Amino acid sequence: MSQKNEFGQPVGEALPDWQPRPHPGRETLEGRLCRLEPLRAEHADALFAAYQLAEDTRAWTWLLREPDTDVESYRAWVQSVVSLPDPIHFAVIDKQSGQPVGTLALMRIDSKNGVVEVGHVHFSPLLSRTPMSTEAQWLLMRYAFDTLGYRRYEWKCNSLNEPSRRAALRMGFQYEGHFRQALVIKGHNRDTDWFSIIDQEWPEVDEAMQKWLAADNFTADGKQRTSLESWRQPKR
């Protein structure tokens, strides 16, 4: 709720007990379907092989990097990012196979203000559009909100990346705006769309995601019984 200062000017809600939050660590986060592990050099070969299962390189269109053409170059990229304090990359481990099937990261970490962004999302065909992909996102959200106590969790994407925009809205992110000519990527203009979840919204988002991810929400052949969006709809 907005408040006023001694001059009668509106100011934001007072947060007298606010303290800077811890910087995210290289933690292992366990789920039912997958596990997030801090990205390591040992993940590189299996990840490269998983990405090679794609029929073409369209999954790279929206990434900041060009596709790696050989495992050596991918190993070199992994080695270049594994020790960075920001972004912090995680490998998504399929608990059934024990193999890494994709990566995502916490980035633009602002521990002073309790703000963090999820990005560098690169899921192989073994992970994309599966319940495991949603669980991977939920594990990272839960770490940011419940473990670290962050106030704001951001999602940003190329405004033309309709699959990413749909994914953000499906998981409960709120659309915030369209930033024109935000970047130049691979020789092309990029407008960026911003989405977020804030701490006040997280309990509802969390509850819906847990209900959707529950084993009994899926049929024997893996089809969802109730959509994630439906779990967030107000109950009449």
Side-chain angles (χ1 to χ4, degrees), residues 3 15 18 25 39 91 94 103 109 111 153 155 159 162 169-170 175 177 192-193 200 203 208 211-212:
Q3 300 177 345
L15 301 173
W18 173 255
L39 183 63
D94 181 344
T103 62
I109 300 163
S111 56
Y153 192 84
W155 177 295
S159 299
E162 190 58 32
L169 294 171
R170 170 182 171 272
Y175 174 69
T192 297
D193 281 4
Q200 298 171 32
K211 289 179 177 178
W212 187 83

Side-chain angles (χ1 to χ4, degrees), residues 93-161:
I93 310 298
D94 181 344
K95 293 184 79 168
Q96 186 170 13
S97 69
Q99 294 298 308
V101 290
T103 62
L104 72 174
L106 291 176
M107 58 184 288
R108 301 187 186 277
I109 300 163
D110 180 359
S111 56
K112 178 181 178 181
N113 294 294
V115 179
V116 68
E117 177 183 344
V118 59
H120 294 283
V121 178
H122 190 190
F123 290 173
S124 77
L126 299 173
L127 180 58
S128 295
R129 295 180 293 278
T130 67
M132 186 166 41
S133 68
T134 299
E135 185 181 66
Q137 295 283 2
W138 171 70
L139 288 170
L140 213 53
M141 291 182 203
R142 186 178 65 170
Y143 176 57
F145 282 116
D146 292 348
T147 302
L148 300 178
Y150 275 57
R151 303 177 65 233
R152 174 179 168 86
Y153 192 84
E154 298 179 336
W155 177 295
K156 300 177 189 135
C157 65
N158 190 310
S159 299
L160 301 176
N161 186 351

Side-chain angles (χ1 to χ4, degrees), residues 32 209-218:
R32 181 176 67 87
M209 294 186 86
Q210 290 194 56
K211 289 179 177 178
W212 187 83
L213 287 166
D216 60 7
N217 189 46
F218 295 89

